[in-house]
Amino acid sequence: TRGKRHFITNTFVELSNETAYAQSYLLVVDALESTDIKMTGVYHDTFVKTENGWKIHTRKLVLDLNS
């Protein structure tokens, strides 16, 4: 959406041989009208290692603020 900015921060990654788990924080702000926070949450991602590199397997977004 015009004016919205989506930031992903503070990524934590835990590696295994063929899989990886990542947790990242989400912040969405309104960059045009004000600097109001519009949404926050946490992404929970699972990756798998393939012959072509690491690929995302699952992504879950848990919202904790949505205005």
Side-chain angles (χ1 to χ4, degrees), residues 15-42:
L15 292 173
S16 179
N17 288 336
E18 303 296 319
T19 60
Y21 168 77
Q23 178 177 301
S24 306
Y25 293 101
L26 160 73
L27 174 67
V28 177
V29 298
D30 186 340
L32 291 180
E33 299 296 321
S34 66
T35 56
D36 290 346
I37 296 172
K38 297 298 182 184
M39 184 184 310
T40 63
V42 181

Side-chain angles (χ1 to χ4, degrees), residues 1-2 5 10 15 17 21 23 29 32 36-37 42 44-45 47 50 52 54-55:
T1 307
R2 188 174 182 271
R5 297 296 181 264
N10 299 35
L15 292 173
N17 288 336
Y21 168 77
Q23 178 177 301
V29 298
L32 291 180
D36 290 346
I37 296 172
V42 181
H44 299 273
D45 300 326
F47 297 84
T50 71
N52 296 317
W54 289 92
K55 305 293 180 187

